Amino acid sequence: MWRAKRGLTQKELATEVDVSRQTINAIEGNRYDSSLELGFKLATYFDC
């Protein structure tokens, strides 16, 4: 949702937070619970 609102591809977001595109895809599909570190990176990136 946040990614799409900003018009980012999964690859672009993955590059920004230093993970694979597959990780972003799995998080969006509710098939992966991110680490606390990745959660903080995403929150910081999206300023929330």
Side-chain angles (χ1 to χ4, degrees):
M1 181 173 156
W2 288 93
R3 177 186 63 78
K5 283 183 178 181
R6 292 235 180 139
L8 296 169
T9 65
Q10 289 180 345
K11 179 65 178 165
E12 290 168 332
L13 178 57
T15 299
E16 290 294 323
V17 295
D18 197 30
V19 296
S20 70
R21 182 204 56 81
Q22 290 86 350
T23 298
I24 300 299
N25 182 273
I27 292 169
E28 290 180 353
N30 292 321
R31 295 182 308 277
Y32 177 81
D33 292 325
S34 71
S35 66
L36 193 55
E37 180 182 358
L38 178 53
F40 282 135
K41 283 183 181 181
L42 289 166
T44 299
Y45 182 80
F46 290 112
D47 194 32
C48 62

